[in-house]
Amino acid sequence: MSMIPEVKCRRCGETFSALRSRCPNCGTRRVTQSGRTPGTTPGTVKGTAAYERAETNTKWQMIFGLILVVAVILAVIVMVTTSLKNPVEDSKPKNTPTVPDQMVTPPLEAPPTTPPPPSPNIESLSVWYFTKQVDVPEQYPAQAVDEEIKYQAKVFPMTITGLEYKWSTDSDALELTPEEGGFCTIKRVAATKGGDKVTVECGGATTSFLIYNRKA
């Protein structure tokens, strides 16, 4: 065994001779432990004034701690006693305030609706070709095959506007092309014997006329 003591490096853990001041492995300086014994303070020596004061402070701290513990216990007892007092009254339902009758808002009534004005009555409905009324037997028109004629339906009184005219026929020999303003272009596409009936409806009024076949 070596006579020279060895020390252990506090950083890398390598052991080396106590004669060295640094670790040969990592170069960390060796810390020399002091052999001095720390001195005593006056408060730890019996018979001194500092020791007596320390003893007195310790006693007062213990007394204050006991007083604090007793106060906390009393506070808890008071809280528990108060919560258990009159449990029947706490279980009673609380009365909710009622709203006075005069504060209730009545439902709003819808404003009265104004009925629409009555639609004007159509006194008569007629069909015209320029200045000739063609929906009377004496004035029935005649058209040749492939001939087109534009007719117009008129109502009386003539001040009525916004009307819808419906043109129709039961003959395959005629082609009808309705237009705005009561007009309708009628084309004969085939020859027939006798007249082909055309009907016009507007606002509840109806009129009809015949279109005869005219040889070209």
Side-chain angles (χ1 to χ4, degrees):
M1 179 180 294
S2 177
M3 299 298 293
I4 301 174
E6 293 183 348
V7 295
K8 191 173 184 179
C9 179
R10 56 190 174 89
R11 174 175 294 181
C12 65
E14 186 72 19
T15 58
F16 58 92
S17 174
L19 297 178
R20 292 177 175 272
S21 61
R22 294 180 179 272
C23 175
N25 184 40
C26 63
T28 304
R29 181 181 293 275
R30 180 171 64 86
V31 178
T32 304
Q33 296 183 355
S34 176
R36 296 176 59 187
T37 303
T40 58
T41 58
T44 59
V45 179
K46 294 184 177 180
T48 61
Y51 182 83
E52 295 295 334
R53 288 194 299 270
E55 287 291 326
T56 302
N57 292 337
T58 303
K59 291 179 181 180
W60 279 110
Q61 291 175 0
M62 293 180 62
I63 293 172
F64 180 75
L66 290 174
I67 294 174
L68 183 61
V69 171
V70 172
V72 172
I73 294 173
L74 291 176
V76 172
I77 293 173
V78 172
M79 292 176 62
V80 173
T81 304
T82 305
S83 62
L84 296 178
K85 186 179 180 181
N86 297 330
V88 178
E89 295 181 359
D90 295 340
S91 62
K92 292 181 179 180
K94 297 181 179 180
N95 296 329
T96 56
T98 57
V99 181
D101 295 339
Q102 59 271 19
M103 295 182 63
V104 177
T105 304
L108 298 177
E109 296 182 357
T113 57
T114 304
S119 57
N121 295 326
I122 297 176
E123 298 181 8
S124 64
L125 174 64
S126 57
V127 179
W128 296 74
Y129 172 65
F130 290 100
T131 59
K132 179 181 179 181
Q133 184 176 351
V134 299
D135 57 335
V136 291
E138 299 82 8
Q139 301 294 334
Y140 285 160
Q143 292 182 222
V145 178
D146 295 332
E147 183 180 6
E148 294 183 355
I149 296 179
K150 180 178 290 188
Y151 300 92
Q152 183 183 15
K154 299 180 181 180
V155 297
F156 184 83
M158 301 181 63
T159 56
I160 304 175
T161 58
L163 298 176
E164 181 180 0
Y165 297 87
K166 296 181 180 180
W167 295 75
S168 61
T169 182
D170 55 359
S171 174
D172 296 333
L174 300 178
E175 288 184 355
L176 278 62
T177 306
E179 302 175 12
E180 294 182 357
F183 290 96
C184 181
T185 299
I186 300 178
K187 178 181 179 181
R188 176 172 289 279
V189 295
T192 57
K193 294 181 179 180
D196 300 297
K197 184 178 180 181
V198 178
T199 303
V200 185
E201 298 180 7
C202 180
T206 305
T207 185
S208 301
F209 63 99
L210 298 177
I211 298 179
Y212 289 97
N213 183 29
R214 181 171 57 83
K215 295 182 180 182

